[in-house]
Amino acid sequence: MAMSREEIFSRVKETLVEALGVDEDEVVGDATLTGDLGAESIDFLDIVFRLEKAFNIKIPRGELFPENILNNPSFVNDKKLTDSGLAELRKRMAHADLTEFEKNPEVDRIAELFTVDAIVRYIESKTA
Amino acid sequence: MRWIWIDRFVKFVPGKSAQAVKNVSLAEEHLHDHFPGYPVMPASLIIEGVAQTAGLLICHASNFDEKVVLAKVSRVEFEGIALPGDVLLYSVELETINEQFAVAAAEVSIISPHSNNGNDQPRHLASMELMFSHLDHNQAGRKFPDGNFILTDAVSSLLREILPNGGEKSTDNSSG
């Protein structure tokens, strides 16, 4: 039986508290992993690993946190994502809310897409 | 000063677990600064010793082909301090190892020898969880020098005592 969104959220929260050493009340839906919760690159690996254990699922590399977009010259121009870069991101990150990002797709803002809600939506799609 | 914070392996089960001993000595320079008049083994160096114990276990698991670095101290709790004359025992268990990283859980116990029949049974001192990165798989194509920078003479001597082939990199894959 599929888990409810609340159950998923609470387990994601628990995972992030353990992985990032943050307080429970910091882990809100729109909190960004790097900006608000202080995650560094190694933490993303750690988070994926802990989510796999917590939900008993397999998360293929690059599926939750896409890789190889920013280092592809056809996807980036003048520190912004090109149209094809955005299309690729949309395809690869169905679990993220790109509405705000699309208005100004600067490479530096891509970290803002990695939110607690994005993880919850991703897990929902995996456990549905 | 040589950056080796374990003195001897006392157990080495390839791919699974290891135990190493560290003797705390007043001959170690840093103890005279940490703290003047009150030497205490820095907790950070206890973590380093545990990381070396686990790191070599992880290096050995890939036959020293991977470049292994401590990437994250996920959790650490200390219950006390270690003083000159104390013996520390680092026990690590490998929880996960894959292409990208490895996770190890560790317990530190301490033996404090006393002259007056004091309690010199091992006591629990600390526990921690450490995460290691396999560098070549995690730096987005950034290149590191070929060859392993970990297997120095001193490290080889540590492994030589505990492993049948002396920690030499074997040419077949039987130990990988």
Side-chain angles (χ1 to χ4, degrees):
Chain A
M1 199 181 74
M3 270 186 284
S4 73
R5 197 189 159 85
E6 286 69 35
E7 278 175 278
I8 293 176
F9 183 86
S10 120
R11 227 184 270 187
V12 166
K13 178 192 278 195
E14 208 176 298
T15 302
L16 293 174
V17 165
E18 281 174 16
L20 302 175
V22 290
D23 290 333
E24 279 198 17
D25 56 10
E26 292 179 78
V27 187
V28 292
D30 60 359
T32 60
L33 298 185
T34 43
D36 295 326
L37 302 180
E40 295 177 25
S41 59
I42 192 70
D43 295 318
F44 285 86
L45 269 181
D46 194 13
I47 290 166
V48 167
F49 170 62
R50 287 172 193 270
L51 288 172
E52 285 186 329
K53 277 207 290 193
F55 291 96
N56 195 23
I57 53 173
K58 188 85 199 102
I59 302 178
R61 184 169 181 175
E63 200 175 86
L64 174 56
F65 305 120
E67 298 174 359
N68 303 324
I69 288 183
L70 298 185
N71 53 9
N72 184 328
S74 66
F75 292 157
V76 180
N77 183 32
D78 195 21
K79 294 181 183 164
K80 283 189 179 193
L81 247 54
T82 59
D83 285 345
S84 58
L86 266 178
E88 178 73 13
L89 192 63
R90 241 177 264 128
K91 195 170 82 190
R92 304 256 296 269
M93 276 198 91
H95 47 289
D97 180 1
L98 271 66
T99 332
E100 275 305 306
F101 179 74
E102 280 170 344
K103 293 177 189 161
N104 181 18
E106 284 177 28
V107 165
D108 288 346
R109 293 180 64 224
I110 210 161
E112 294 169 21
L113 298 175
F114 300 136
T115 60
V116 176
D117 275 340
I119 296 179
V120 171
R121 274 193 292 267
Y122 173 82
I123 300 285
E124 267 183 315
S125 74
K126 294 289 276 191
T127 55
Chain B
M1 181 163 54
R2 296 285 183 264
W3 200 253
I4 294 184
W5 293 100
I6 50 183
D7 293 325
R8 178 181 291 176
F9 275 104
V10 292
K11 196 179 116 193
F12 200 100
V13 184
K16 286 199 166 58
S17 63
Q19 263 183 339
V21 162
K22 160 70 185 164
N23 293 294
V24 184
S25 166
L26 204 48
E28 295 172 64
E29 287 267 328
H30 62 98
L31 291 183
H32 298 269
D33 299 314
H34 188 279
F35 302 93
Y38 194 80
V40 176
M41 167 96 176
S44 52
L45 291 177
I46 295 178
I47 297 171
E48 174 65 23
V50 171
Q52 292 182 357
T53 310
L56 285 170
L57 186 65
I58 294 162
C59 280
H60 184 268
S62 72
N63 204 17
F64 292 90
D65 286 336
E66 299 280 358
K67 299 180 181 72
V68 177
V69 292
L70 174 63
K72 176 173 176 177
V73 178
S74 311
R75 177 181 62 80
V76 60
E77 285 158 53
F78 277 88
E79 292 168 16
I81 56 173
L83 305 174
D86 287 340
V87 180
L88 298 173
L89 184 66
Y90 302 151
S91 306
V92 310
E93 301 267 342
L94 209 48
E95 294 204 324
T96 297
I97 181 162
N98 60 32
E99 194 190 46
Q100 285 177 282
F101 66 94
V103 175
E107 301 294 330
V108 176
S109 48
I110 180 170
I111 301 165
S112 297
H114 288 269
S115 56
N116 53 355
N117 295 324
N119 176 18
D120 53 6
Q121 292 301 303
R123 312 188 309 278
H124 187 256
L125 184 73
S127 63
M128 65 190 82
E129 186 181 286
L130 306 177
M131 188 171 176
F132 296 80
S133 172
H134 284 146
L135 267 193
D136 290 334
H137 296 280
N138 285 312
Q139 295 292 319
R142 216 180 300 164
K143 290 286 179 226
F144 288 87
D146 285 337
N148 204 295
F149 46 73
I150 290 160
L151 207 53
T152 60
D153 287 351
V155 170
S156 297
S157 79
L158 279 172
L159 293 173
R160 196 155 52 227
E161 287 177 38
I162 194 84
L163 290 170
N165 66 352
E168 296 299 321
K169 188 173 165 170
S170 62
T171 47
D172 61 46
N173 290 322
S174 60
S175 65

